[in-house]
């Protein structure tokens, strides 16, 4: 499947056949995720490959008891490292400049000693695994597989289920498998509705 066909055929799948996914395909998906772009080439993403039934069940419960997730033969637990944060970056000249520029100096300075510092840090890292997850999904689609990005998730609970160290957090789940139902492609907005040229007010 070429890249355009793969993109057009990708859709959210929530019902899966029990068929086991070959390890070489899993490795290919992880390789695609590894090669994804990241801001500053930070590569601040990690992926758990979950096949154990008990762990899948616990993750499904952490995802608001969406038990269909546990029916997938494989779940990618999409994680990030929270070690880097704005407080640390504030001590670094380049980090301070970049983050003051992006988020505003008052926000960066308020990060220190904030009682919700860890939650803020999780929020700031929320996008870390998203581009690699897109690579995972497109590679899965190219093999006739499907999946669905799950963001409705108690991240603290999921991280505890996975026994992640304190500096890591599971932000998303990505159940993957062979679709068990007929392909239904959701209607998408037109190019005109999602784009503008030069100045928005000119369109």
């Amino acid at each position: 499947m070429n890249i355009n066909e793969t993109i057009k055929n990708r859709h959210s799948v929530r019902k899966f056949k029990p068929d086991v996914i070959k390890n070489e395909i899993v490795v290919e998906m992880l390789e695609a995720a590894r090669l994804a772009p990241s801001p500053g080439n930070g590569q601040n993403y990690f992926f758990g490959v979950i096949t154990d039934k008990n762990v899948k069940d616990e993750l499904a419960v952490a995802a608001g008891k969406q038990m269909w997730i546990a029916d997938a033969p494989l779940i990618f637990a999409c994680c990030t490292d929270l070690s880097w944060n704005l407080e640390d970056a504030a001590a670094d000249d380049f980090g301070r400049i970049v983050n003051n520029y992006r988020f505003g100096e008052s926000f960066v300075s308020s990060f220190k000693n904030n009682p919700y510092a860890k939650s803020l840090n999780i929020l700031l890292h929320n996008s870390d695994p998203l581009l690699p997850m897109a690579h995972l999904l497109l590679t899965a689609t190219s093999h006739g597989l499907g999946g669905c990005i799950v963001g409705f998730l108690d991240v603290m609970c999921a991280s505890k289920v996975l026994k992640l160290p304190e500096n890591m957090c599971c932000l998303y789940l990505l159940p993957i498998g062979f679709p068990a139902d007929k392909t239904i492609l959701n209607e998408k907005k037109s190019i005109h509705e999602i784009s503008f040229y030069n100045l928005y007010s000119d369109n």
Side-chain angles (χ1 to χ4, degrees):
M1 205 182 290
N2 68 39
I3 187 64
N4 289 330
E5 289 176 336
T6 301
I7 290 171
K8 288 177 180 178
N9 280 283
R10 189 221 56 82
H11 64 286
S12 293
V13 174
R14 295 180 178 85
K15 291 184 179 179
F16 305 97
K17 295 178 180 178
D19 306 43
V20 174
I21 302 169
K22 292 180 180 178
N23 186 61
E24 52 263 39
I25 297 177
V26 175
V27 171
E28 187 177 330
M29 286 190 279
L30 289 170
E31 176 69 4
R34 184 183 74 83
L35 296 173
S38 60
N41 196 33
Q43 303 178 58
N44 194 34
Y45 38 77
F46 302 86
F47 296 92
V49 181
I50 315 303
T51 57
D52 182 271
K53 185 182 184 308
N54 292 331
V55 179
K56 290 194 297 179
D57 285 343
E58 289 187 64
L59 289 174
V61 170
K65 297 183 179 179
Q66 300 181 76
M67 301 315 294
W68 62 267
I69 294 169
D71 292 334
L74 163 65
I75 299 173
F76 285 105
C78 308
C79 308
T80 189
D81 184 351
L82 301 173
S83 296
W84 184 93
N85 59 49
L86 285 181
E87 186 177 343
D88 294 334
D92 171 75
D93 286 341
F94 182 71
R96 183 175 64 253
I97 291 169
V98 170
N99 287 293
N100 285 346
Y101 213 73
R102 286 183 62 80
F103 305 114
E105 188 173 351
S106 59
F107 176 76
V108 175
S109 62
S110 71
F111 194 84
K112 188 173 184 180
N113 300 322
N114 190 301
Y116 303 106
K118 183 168 184 179
S119 294
L120 285 170
N121 203 18
I122 290 171
L123 179 63
L124 290 170
H125 284 279
N126 191 61
S127 64
D128 286 352
L130 289 177
L131 281 172
M133 286 166 64
H135 280 215
L136 284 171
L137 264 176
L138 290 175
T139 304
T141 302
S142 74
H143 287 283
L145 295 159
C148 182
I149 295 174
V150 178
F152 187 84
L153 181 68
D154 183 333
V155 298
M156 301 296 191
C157 180
S159 301
K160 186 176 180 181
V161 167
L162 295 166
K163 300 188 185 303
L164 296 180
E166 184 66 23
N167 62 298
M168 288 182 65
C169 183
C170 177
L171 295 172
Y172 299 93
L173 301 178
L174 182 60
I176 293 287
F178 291 97
D181 55 2
K182 187 177 179 180
T183 298
I184 299 175
L185 299 178
N186 292 328
E187 185 176 339
K188 298 291 185 181
K189 293 179 180 179
S190 68
I191 291 175
H192 174 73
E193 291 175 288
I194 65 163
S195 63
F196 68 93
Y197 290 84
N198 299 315
L199 302 177
Y200 188 85
S201 58
D202 292 341
N203 291 267

